[in-house]
Amino acid sequence: MLTLVLAIAIGCVALVVLAAGTLAWRLTQGPLEITALAIRIVPLVAPGLTADHVTLALEHPDGERVLRLTVIDGQRPAEADQPAQTIRRASVAIAVSPLFTGHIAPEDISADGVRLHLARSLTGKSRPAGAPGADVQQMLSHLHHVAITDTQIWVADGALGQSWQVRDVAADLRRRDDGSIAGHAQVTAGIGAVSTTVTADGSYSAGGTQLEVTATPVSPAALARAVPQLAALQALDADVALRGSATLGPDLQVVRATVHAEAGPGVAQLPSKGGNTSPAPFQAMSLDAAGTPSQITLRALQLVLRSPSGAAPTTLGLSGNADRANGHFTAHLAVDMDHAEFADLPSLWPEGVGGNARAWLTENITAGTAHDAHFTFTLTGDETGDNVALTEAGGTLTGDDVTTWWLRPVPPLEHGHTVVTWQNPDTLLIAGITARQGTLNATNGSVKIVGLTVKDQVATINTDIGGPLADLLTLLRNPRLKLLSTHPVPFTAPLGTIAAHLAINLPLDSKVSVDQVQIHANGQLANVHLGSIVAGRDLDRGQLALDVTNDGLSISGPAQLDHMPGKMAVDMDFRTGPPSQVLQHAAVTLRIAPRDAKAAGIGVIGLDAGTMSTTVDYSERRDGGATIRLSGDLRDAGFTSPIGWSKTAGTPGNFNGQALLQNGKLVGLEGLHAEAPNLSIQARSDMVNGKPAVVHLERADIGRSSATGTITLPQHNDDPYRVVLSGPRLDLEGRLTSQNAPAVSDQPPPASSQPGTPYAVDLRFQQVILGPGHALSAVALNASGAGSRIANARLTTGGAEKVQADLVTQGSSRKVWATAADLGLLLRNTDLAGEVTGGALVLDGAFDDRLPNSPFSGTVELGGFSVRGAPVVGKVLQGMTLYGLVDALRGPGLVFDRLHAPFHLDGSVLDLDDARAYSSSLGVTATGRMDFGHKQIDLKGTIVPAYFFNSLPGRVPLLGRLFSPEKGGGVFAATFGLKGKIDDPSVSLNPLSALTPGFTRRLFNLFD
């Protein structure tokens, strides 16, 4: 059995050796097609991989046997979330001898026509992923050559949110006999429309690595637009070509590196204040730098900048070096500039460099040419680059034809020559400034800026100034001084001339306080005009002295206030102090004559004789409170006032009052008082939110009127004026006469979309005087409305006339209901008419607010009244020879039992429609129009004598219209007409109509 087993084993070994020998012999004859075998084996180790051809060959390069496996047109089919992966040709040469020890040692790897699709997840990992399971270093120890050609890779990048590609990949790596590696690679990478071709050459050895890299031009800004995650590259919008080299140590750390960059025309976004950027257009840029981990040398950085103003380009050159050693950092930098326009300085000088000095220089030197600039800087700091400080600075810049704004908006110094010297890191001096500054003459000027190395800088300005006052005040009002801008002078539109010296020491800070500014200006003002210095009035012809320091300002001297001669003094205190400290005080004393009052536009006060002495005094405290005191002596003045009060010169009189303000808002009006013969007024006001809210008339005795009450002023747009007044008397004499009536126009008033000022009135007076011997007693009026439109009202009187009238708004109309116990007494008391005696009045009507003029229509009912002494009525009765009635009219009056008068009032035109009045002895009808505006009348009507008996047939059913065709008429009645002036109309009468029965009366009226 043992002999049989050994025989079989020896036979099997012989068969294996024979098969291996046969395979080896076959491989030496040429590549062996093993595609069929591969189709069965590959899916077992790499599912999804296929190939059109797979060959195996035994080669003898350099005398060493290798087994070369070649795959033609291999692919991984497309999957649901990934396109197909393909390779045109791949070849691996595997050393044969290590195979006998169970190791795979590739010596040569090549790939051509690779088309690879990868997906990068949101975490930055790529698929397909996976690391080789064998010891990579041992497996690659025999590798001598790697070649990759015509390869393209597409990456669906989840981290970037878009796809990018690498194309035209070509790489060749070779291991030299000494074990070092040398290689060359070229690749074109692109994303969107942006691409660049990178070429790299390098070598690796135990001593280190050498790399040289070039990149074709690409725009960093375009790359940032394509990849938002690279937004920082947006700062450079130009095509940049790069060339660089690096030496790496054994640990692949950088030992030395160089970089050279060139860019064509473009725009650089330079850091600006507040984290913003400012554009800097340039025509060309080049950079040449080298460095080690401890030293960086900027051989040259040159920028050719386009001039925003269209001038010749500016060339900036920067060079220097930075060293880091022994825990310290030191940098030396030199900046040179051939020339530049000062107007271009804001674009050339980044906002983040130079602090407030940069802001001051770029804002205030606006024209001229700077040239031959050379500045040097030394910076030191920690080794980490923190706590960097400027320790040395120097250099000069020459300026020609320079325009310098000292403190805007003061007119600038123009056509100057100056030398800007950076004296040290802390000090900048601008000297030799002597020029015409707009309309001011500035001489011996200089600006010295110190504190450049710290957060805040300070400028010292000195100059002599002569010229317009307004320009000097503009200088003192500059916000940087926080002088007159914080404590504004109480006048506007200053005019005049000044000769002064100005010295200012101020921080270059937009938030500078008055306490930080050292200032002194003093001089003489001539021919001064100051607008709105007191109550909106102007000061003229002033010859004043001006002095301004950090402690305060004073202006004083003789002048005229709105054509009125007087004296003025203005003092302002800028010092710190308690809340009660007076910061501003102004006083004006005047003697006002009638001519001066009219010229000043205050003739309405009625000054017509003598002179009035007036003093206006204004004081403002540190706590924000202020007081305006007004006082005057009226003894030497005579007045004739339009409100019915007058005073002769030589009689005593005075007035005074004061207004209280808080933080510029009016908070009180008090002590308002005026005393003179037949005049005594005392008032005060409550304030809300800086505005008068309620005016309290504690006493108002003007002529015969005497009242107390309140006037509530609106605080919001829709609030009404509320007037509440009461007292023993209200004198309206002379204010309700026809002389005060407005002019009448034939044209309707223009339509207005504005409702007018709303109001609410509550008046209660024991007596309202309307004229000599005419008054109403116990009058009460409550009314509300807007503008000229009364919306709701109630009027009552307590006399024998006992009037009650109500107006109520209902939709688009306003209903009116009024009654009077004695209309005749009411008309006499109001001095409107004296012909009517007695009569109980009922008025029922409505205003139609849908129509222009809001016409008023309604009916008047009047019972139990008599008419006496009416000339027009007398003419009509005489025409009918009713002399008994004429005598009654002249004597006790014509008595009527009832009046019924439908009417329509549109503006000043009254239309009557079948108005009728009657008693047992007389009946009257009337139809027509009365135009009160033009004082014209056109009425027609009938007069029915013996009205009771004459009208009886007209009341018979069916037959009544035959005897009395007109409503209220009779069997026998005369027709009449009134036409012409209301005061004296012409009277027409048809006597024949009085002799005819009613049904034939209209025939005779045909001839009227």
Side-chain angles (χ1 to χ4, degrees):
M1 180 63 69
L2 179 60
T3 301
L4 179 60
V5 172
L6 291 174
I8 294 174
I10 293 171
C12 290
V13 170
L15 288 174
V16 170
V17 172
L18 179 62
T22 303
L23 177 61
W25 172 83
R26 173 65 185 84
L27 292 176
T28 62
Q29 303 305 308
L32 174 63
E33 181 77 26
I34 61 171
T35 303
L37 180 62
I39 291 174
R40 291 174 174 80
I41 297 175
V42 170
L44 299 177
V45 295
L49 291 179
T50 63
D52 289 352
H53 299 282
V54 180
T55 62
L56 189 65
L58 185 63
E59 299 177 353
H60 304 272
D62 300 327
E64 184 179 353
R65 293 182 179 183
V66 295
L67 193 63
R68 183 173 295 280
L69 178 67
T70 302
V71 177
I72 307 298
D73 293 332
Q75 63 178 341
R76 179 190 293 274
E79 299 177 356
D81 60 345
Q82 190 170 349
Q85 319 287 342
T86 64
I87 184 170
R88 187 166 51 244
R89 186 179 186 282
S91 176
V92 179
I94 303 172
V96 173
S97 56
L99 291 176
F100 293 101
T101 62
H103 295 93
I104 298 176
E107 290 192 350
D108 181 89
I109 299 175
S110 64
D112 177 69
V114 179
R115 301 294 184 266
L116 187 60
H117 294 267
L118 301 178
R120 186 166 178 255
S121 67
L122 292 176
T123 61
K125 295 181 178 179
S126 299
R127 294 181 290 110
D135 188 334
V136 176
Q137 186 173 359
Q138 181 179 0
M139 184 176 68
L140 300 180
S141 61
H142 287 72
L143 186 62
H144 290 278
H145 181 232
V146 176
I148 300 174
T149 57
D150 190 24
T151 294
Q152 297 189 35
I153 302 173
W154 291 267
V155 180
D157 200 326
L160 297 181
Q162 53 187 306
S163 298
W164 51 276
Q165 64 176 348
V166 178
R167 67 179 186 273
D168 302 331
V169 178
D172 190 271
L173 300 176
R174 295 182 182 274
R175 187 190 302 272
R176 298 169 179 160
D177 294 339
D178 60 0
S180 64
I181 298 174
H184 171 82
Q186 180 172 297
V187 60
T188 298
I191 183 168
V194 183
S195 65
T196 182
T197 298
V198 180
T199 302
D201 291 280
S203 64
Y204 168 80
S205 66
T209 301
Q210 299 291 331
L211 289 176
E212 290 187 0
V213 180
T214 62
T216 59
V218 64
S219 171
L223 187 59
R225 289 190 290 270
V227 184
Q229 289 85 344
L230 302 178
L233 299 180
Q234 190 74 34
L236 182 58
D237 191 358
D239 290 335
V240 180
L242 294 174
R243 183 176 73 252
S245 65
T247 300
L248 308 180
D251 55 357
L252 298 184
Q253 295 294 318
V254 175
V255 176
R256 180 176 176 79
T258 64
V259 62
H260 179 81
E262 292 185 356
V267 177
Q269 299 291 337
L270 300 180
S272 180
K273 194 173 182 179
N276 300 317
T277 60
S278 58
F282 61 87
Q283 292 183 353
M285 179 186 72
S286 64
L287 169 69
D288 191 3
T292 67
S294 60
Q295 184 183 60
I296 296 176
T297 300
L298 179 61
R299 297 171 181 152
L301 171 60
Q302 188 175 76
L303 284 170
V304 181
L305 303 174
R306 292 199 300 265
S307 168
S309 62
T314 297
T315 300
L316 281 178
L318 287 84
S319 61
N321 60 76
D323 297 301
R324 184 175 59 181
N326 301 321
H328 296 286
F329 165 82
T330 303
H332 302 279
L333 182 66
V335 180
D336 293 279
M337 181 184 72
D338 58 351
H339 69 275
E341 296 299 311
F342 277 107
D344 298 337
L345 201 58
S347 301
L348 303 176
W349 190 345
E351 278 196 41
V353 178
N356 292 327
R358 183 261 182 204
W360 194 93
L361 290 172
T362 56
E363 289 177 8
N364 294 290
I365 302 181
T366 58
T369 302
H371 56 88
D372 298 325
H374 176 75
F375 296 100
T376 59
F377 306 95
T378 300
L379 299 95
T380 59
D382 297 339
E383 185 177 10
T384 59
D386 296 332
N387 302 317
V388 175
L390 179 66
T391 56
E392 295 181 10
T396 60
L397 176 151
T398 302
D400 293 325
D401 198 23
V402 176
T403 297
T404 304
W405 295 79
W406 289 44
L407 288 172
R408 291 178 184 269
V410 175
L413 295 170
E414 296 179 306
H415 308 298
H417 173 83
T418 186
V419 176
V420 179
T421 302
W422 208 315
Q423 296 180 324
N424 54 59
D426 200 56
T427 306
L428 190 70
L429 177 65
I430 306 172
I433 304 173
T434 299
R436 184 167 178 80
Q437 190 166 359
T439 54
L440 290 173
N441 290 317
T443 57
N444 303 319
S446 66
V447 179
K448 188 174 185 179
I449 301 174
V450 298
L452 299 178
T453 58
V454 295
K455 177 183 177 183
D456 298 319
Q457 293 79 50
V458 177
T460 301
I461 303 171
N462 278 279
T463 187
D464 294 325
I465 289 182
L469 169 64
D471 290 343
L472 178 65
L473 292 178
T474 300
L475 170 65
L476 300 179
R477 199 180 287 121
N478 190 281
R480 294 191 179 177
L481 294 178
K482 291 290 182 71
L483 193 59
L484 298 187
S485 62
T486 303
H487 303 279
V489 289
F491 50 76
T492 62
L495 297 174
T497 59
I498 184 170
H501 176 79
L502 177 65
I504 301 175
N505 184 276
L506 73 155
L508 299 183
D509 184 354
S510 59
K511 298 181 180 180
V512 61
S513 67
V514 175
D515 295 336
Q516 295 173 286
V517 177
Q518 302 296 319
I519 183 169
H520 187 199
N522 64 302
Q524 294 295 316
L525 313 181
N527 301 317
V528 175
H529 166 87
L530 303 176
S532 301
I533 190 167
V534 177
R537 306 295 171 175
D538 296 346
L539 179 144
D540 290 290
R541 299 185 181 181
Q543 304 297 323
L544 309 174
L546 169 70
D547 190 86
V548 182
T549 68
N550 283 80
D551 292 337
L553 173 149
S554 66
I555 303 176
S556 61
Q560 288 187 356
L561 181 66
D562 217 355
H563 308 285
M564 297 174 286
K567 294 182 179 180
M568 68 157 292
V570 177
D571 294 290
M572 302 177 67
D573 191 346
F574 303 152
R575 297 170 297 180
T576 59
S580 59
Q581 178 189 7
V582 175
L583 297 180
Q584 294 188 32
H585 177 262
V588 178
T589 301
L590 304 168
R591 288 196 67 84
I592 306 173
R595 180 181 59 186
D596 300 330
K598 292 179 181 178
I602 55 174
V604 69
I605 64 174
L607 178 65
D608 59 4
T611 59
M612 176 177 66
S613 177
T614 303
T615 299
V616 180
D617 189 287
Y618 171 81
S619 296
E620 179 183 343
R621 300 185 305 276
R622 179 171 295 280
D623 62 5
T627 303
I628 301 176
R629 294 182 176 87
L630 177 67
S631 60
D633 186 351
L634 307 179
R635 177 177 292 276
D636 297 331
F639 291 88
T640 300
S641 171
I643 62 175
W645 170 78
S646 62
K647 173 190 175 298
T648 59
T651 57
N654 62 81
F655 65 90
N656 54 71
Q658 67 178 12
L660 305 179
L661 298 91
Q662 185 65 43
N663 297 323
K665 293 184 177 180
L666 195 62
V667 296
L669 291 173
E670 60 183 30
L672 305 178
H673 183 75
E675 289 289 343
N678 296 320
L679 177 70
S680 180
I681 298 176
Q682 186 170 336
R684 61 180 178 84
S685 176
D686 296 336
M687 313 300 294
V688 174
N689 295 327
K691 297 189 295 185
V694 181
V695 178
H696 297 269
L697 290 175
E698 298 173 346
R699 182 174 71 250
D701 295 336
I702 306 173
R704 292 183 293 179
S705 295
S706 180
T708 61
T710 60
I711 301 173
T712 302
L713 305 178
Q715 299 300 304
H716 305 92
N717 291 336
D718 297 331
D719 290 349
Y721 283 88
R722 299 185 183 277
V723 179
V724 179
L725 295 177
S726 62
R729 288 176 308 281
L730 177 63
D731 186 1
L732 298 181
E733 182 177 349
R735 291 162 182 76
L736 300 178
T737 63
S738 60
Q739 296 175 352
N740 296 326
V744 176
S745 173
D746 293 328
Q747 300 297 325
S752 174
S753 60
Q754 301 297 326
T757 303
Y759 59 84
V761 176
D762 184 358
L763 304 178
R764 298 179 184 275
F765 286 92
Q766 298 175 21
Q767 185 183 45
V768 176
I769 301 172
L770 303 174
H774 302 290
L776 296 176
S777 60
V779 177
L781 172 64
N782 282 277
S784 63
S788 60
R789 183 179 182 275
I790 302 176
N792 297 280
R794 165 164 284 196
L795 172 68
T796 61
T797 68
E801 68 275 6
K802 286 204 175 290
V803 176
Q804 178 173 329
D806 292 283
L807 183 149
V808 180
T809 297
Q810 296 181 355
S812 61
S813 65
R814 287 173 290 161
K815 304 296 183 182
V816 178
W817 174 266
T819 63
D822 190 335
L823 177 62
L825 178 59
L826 175 63
L827 294 176
R828 289 193 299 277
N829 286 343
T830 56
D831 198 20
L832 295 178
E835 295 87 352
V836 179
T837 302
L841 171 70
V842 176
L843 170 64
D844 185 8
F847 291 94
D848 189 348
D849 292 326
R850 296 171 300 177
L851 301 176
N853 288 337
S854 296
F856 182 42
S857 300
T859 303
V860 172
E861 299 284 349
L862 188 62
F865 66 96
S866 61
V867 178
R868 176 179 178 274
V872 176
V873 178
K875 286 184 178 182
V876 176
L877 296 179
Q878 284 179 346
M880 293 185 63
T881 65
L882 300 175
Y883 290 106
L885 295 178
V886 174
D887 293 338
L889 181 64
R890 295 173 178 170
L894 293 177
V895 177
F896 290 90
D897 295 333
R898 183 173 179 80
L899 167 69
H900 176 80
F903 67 90
H904 178 82
L905 179 64
D906 189 348
S908 61
V909 178
L910 175 66
D911 291 310
L912 296 178
D913 184 14
D914 286 332
R916 58 190 183 276
Y918 58 85
S919 65
S920 59
S921 58
L922 182 66
V924 180
T925 68
T927 299
R929 171 169 292 185
M930 288 183 284
D931 187 341
F932 296 103
H934 297 88
K935 299 182 180 180
Q936 296 290 312
I937 187 171
D938 187 2
L939 287 180
K940 293 181 179 180
T942 60
I943 295 181
V944 185
Y947 178 77
F948 177 76
F949 296 102
N950 202 352
S951 62
L952 285 177
R955 302 177 186 175
V956 177
L958 299 180
L959 300 178
R961 297 292 289 177
L962 296 175
F963 296 100
S964 180
E966 56 279 278
K967 189 173 183 181
V971 177
F972 297 99
T975 61
F976 69 90
L978 299 175
K979 193 168 185 178
K981 295 183 179 180
I982 290 180
D983 295 340
D984 188 18
S986 60
V987 178
S988 62
L989 187 67
N990 188 346
L992 294 178
S993 64
L995 304 176
T996 60
F999 67 91
T1000 61
R1001 187 178 307 127
R1002 294 188 183 274
L1003 296 177
F1004 288 92
N1005 289 341
L1006 293 176
F1007 302 99
D1008 291 348

